[in-house]
Structures are given as C-alpha cells and as structure tokens.
Amino acid sequence: PGPLLFLAAAVGIAVVAWNAFFFRVNPDELGVVMRFGQYVRQEPPGLHFRLPYPIEEVLLPKVTQQRVTEIGLRTQQGIGRSGPVGVADVREESLMLTGDENIVDIDFAVFWRIRDAADYLFNIQNPENSVKELAESVMREVVGKSRIQPILTEERLKVAQDVQKQLQET
C-alpha cells in the first residue's frame, strides 16, 4: 500500500500543479489575465501559463459570440424545438416622437460583439444595459430629427444606417 499511496499522491499533486499553472482559452474566448486584481495582459485561444490563483486570475469573455439587444420588444423562447413562442411589446422603449411631432412605434434589435475585452470587463459597469440605453438614445435622436412619412417609407434604410454609424462611433 505504501508505493501505491505515494503514486496516487504524486498524481494528485501533478494534477493540482497543472491546473494551478496552466489555463486553456477556447476558440470563442479571449483570456484576460489579472495579477492581484489589476489587468496585466490578454491571451489568445490555446494553452497558456499563469501564476497560481491568489496571484493571477483569468477571465474568459466570449468575444466571438454575437449578442442581441432588443429594444421595444422581447422575444419569448418556448420549450422544445419550436423556437420563439411570441413577442412581447415594450411600449416605453418603442414609442418615439418624430421631428414633425408625430408618435411612431419602432421596434428594433442591435447585434453586437465584444471588440475590446479589457474595456468590456473593466470600463463598462453593465455592458448589456449600456448597449440597450445607447441604442435607444441614438434611435430617438435620429427619429427626432426626421419626419414620420420618410421614416415609414423611403428613408427607413437611411435611418437604420445612421443609427448603426452613430452606435459604432460611440
């Protein structure tokens, strides 16, 4: 029993040491390494070395995942393979005043990805809510400068392009 116990202890120590000094970043992630809670570096997908936990910690945001923020509506998912069951309207987000003082109901979705993982993790308090509030604000600004008839007909694409451009700049 002595050599077997020694072998089990050695294997256990090797596994703990491996997990303490190495970490894996999946293809859809980016490894953000913090040393004593302060940002140090970013690591691409693959196997990487790090100091043990109390010294270094690794956060793994999914940077290639396409995120969706819905404004004016909420898609409700069903149970099973049927997909979306319905859509709930959120009037306080979708009702907007046009430049010619008409009220228009605009539902839209913003598709976005994380471009800078460090900014996403450390410089924005609530990223999903920030994107939602910014998108709603930009849409209200663009709609507020436009008349209702063009928004509903020929300038619909132009409004979408203006909102996209302003969102990306911000």
Side-chain angles (χ1 to χ4, degrees):
L4 188 60
L5 186 61
F6 176 75
L7 181 64
V11 168
I13 290 171
V15 168
V16 169
W18 177 264
N19 288 332
F21 290 104
F22 293 96
F23 67 97
R24 184 182 74 192
V25 179
N26 292 324
D28 63 335
E29 300 172 336
L30 187 65
V32 177
V33 180
M34 298 185 311
R35 185 172 296 137
F36 297 116
Q38 185 174 7
Y39 170 75
V40 178
R41 66 183 186 277
Q42 292 182 6
E43 296 290 354
L47 188 63
H48 302 282
F49 175 80
R50 72 173 172 113
L51 298 174
Y53 167 68
I55 300 169
E56 285 189 347
E57 182 180 359
V58 180
L59 301 175
L60 301 167
K62 297 192 179 299
V63 295
T64 62
Q65 175 184 4
Q66 181 169 311
R67 300 162 194 271
V68 180
T69 301
E70 298 174 329
I71 291 104
L73 69 145
R74 298 294 181 274
T75 305
Q76 299 168 343
Q77 297 293 328
I79 299 172
R81 301 184 312 178
S82 61
V85 169
V87 175
D89 195 23
V90 184
R91 289 258 191 225
E92 53 273 2
E93 294 176 2
S94 65
L95 292 177
M96 300 181 191
L97 189 63
T98 64
D100 56 355
E101 297 182 3
N102 286 300
I103 295 176
V104 64
D105 187 358
I106 298 179
D107 299 330
F108 64 102
V110 178
F111 297 88
W112 58 283
R113 288 192 176 97
I114 299 171
R115 185 179 358 184
D116 187 336
D119 277 346
Y120 175 79
L121 292 171
F122 307 122
N123 293 337
I124 303 173
Q125 192 168 29
N126 184 345
E128 287 79 13
N129 195 40
S130 295
V131 168
K132 179 183 158 301
E133 290 176 357
L134 180 63
E136 187 178 342
S137 174
V138 169
M139 181 63 84
R140 287 185 188 282
E141 179 183 343
V142 170
V143 167
K145 293 178 182 177
S146 305
R147 294 186 346 242
I148 191 167
Q149 195 58 37
I151 290 174
L152 298 176
T153 56
E154 71 267 3
E155 288 189 17
R156 188 173 181 168
L157 182 61
K158 184 183 180 306
V159 168
Q161 290 171 342
D162 289 347
V163 170
Q164 179 182 2
K165 181 181 176 198
Q166 286 186 23
L167 273 173
Q168 287 177 342
E169 286 174 0
T170 306

